[in-house]
Structures are given as C-alpha cells and as structure tokens.
C-alpha cells in the first residue's frame, strides 16, 4: 500500500501543478484581453468600464483556481512524507474531487480506496500493517 500512497501523493501534486498552470493561463488571457481592449477601444467610456471588469473577473477566477490548487500540492507533499495530517487532508480533497469529472472523480475514488485501507491507516500511525485476511 506504500506504493499506492506514493502514487496518490504524486497525483495530488500533478493536479495542483495543473491548477497553478491554469491560474497562469487565466492571468495571461484576462490580462491580455484587458490590454487589447484598452488599446483598441474606440469609446473611452466603454473602455473605462470594460477593462476593470476584465481585470476583476480574471483576478477572482485565477485566485479561486490557485486557492483550490494549493491544498492539492500540500497534501501530495504530506502524503509523500507520510504525515498523519496529510491522510485526513487527502480524504477531504478526494471527496471534493469526486465532483470534478472525469479526472477528479478518478483520483477521488482511487484516493478514497487508498486512504481508507487498513494498511494505509496503520502506515500513517506508524503501526505494523494488519495481517492479510483470508
């Protein structure tokens, strides 16, 4: 089960990094759009309204994605280091990830299977793994 915990930790980190990349893309797209609108706008009043809206929407959307991605990275690092709090955070993130079809759902189901396993529970407690049941 140690290998599955390591795989889950890496998956969390990868999903978190994709979120950070998404934040950067959104910042670039909305920032670029605001720049284009401000330079190409014929009506200064309309430009004065559109640019702050683009900036605000882009900032809020990007920050939301960034804030949702950081716990994935933290949980992934914690799982790789076998920290007890990371198991709990991983369970919470897996449950929330079930709503993010399809990748979040796949990682969520896999993560719940891994993190609720008695072997994994013992691994994070530092206890010897339970004997296999027949």
């Amino acid at each position: 089960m140690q290998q599955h915990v390591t795989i889950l930790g890496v998956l969390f980190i990868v999903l978190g990094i994709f979120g950070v990349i998404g934040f950067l893309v959104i910042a670039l797209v909305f920032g670029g759009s605001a720049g284009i609108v401000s330079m190409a706008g014929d009506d200064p009043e309309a430009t004065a309204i559109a640019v702050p809206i683009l900036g605000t929407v882009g900032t809020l959307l990007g920050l939301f994605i960034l804030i949702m991605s950081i716990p994935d990275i933290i949980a992934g690092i914690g799982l790789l280091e076998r920290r007890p709090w990371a198991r709990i955070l991983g369970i919470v993130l897996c449950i929330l990830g079930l709503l993010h079809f399809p990748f979040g759902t796949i990682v969520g189901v896999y993560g719940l299977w891994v993190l609720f396993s008695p072997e994994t529970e013992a691994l994070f407690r530092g206890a010897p793994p339970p004997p296999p049941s027949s």
Side-chain angles (χ1 to χ4, degrees), residues 38-99:
S38 69
M39 291 188 328
D42 294 336
D43 183 8
E45 290 179 19
T47 302
I49 293 172
V51 171
I53 290 174
L54 282 171
T56 302
V57 169
T59 300
L60 292 176
L61 186 61
L63 284 177
F64 176 76
I65 291 173
L66 185 65
I67 289 170
M68 296 302 290
S69 301
I70 290 173
D72 284 338
I73 296 170
I74 292 170
I77 293 169
L79 287 173
L80 292 177
E81 295 178 356
R82 307 297 191 260
R83 306 286 178 156
W85 55 263
R87 181 176 169 268
I88 304 300
L89 179 59
I91 290 170
V92 171
L93 292 175
C94 285
I95 291 170
L96 293 174
L98 293 173
L99 301 173

Side-chain angles (χ1 to χ4, degrees), residues 5-52:
V5 173
T6 301
I7 291 169
L8 185 61
V10 170
L11 285 173
F12 271 130
I13 292 171
V14 168
L15 288 177
I17 289 172
F18 281 150
V20 170
I21 291 170
F23 161 74
L24 295 173
V25 168
I26 286 175
L28 181 67
V29 167
F30 277 90
S33 298
I36 290 170
V37 167
S38 69
M39 291 188 328
D42 294 336
D43 183 8
E45 290 179 19
T47 302
I49 293 172
V51 171

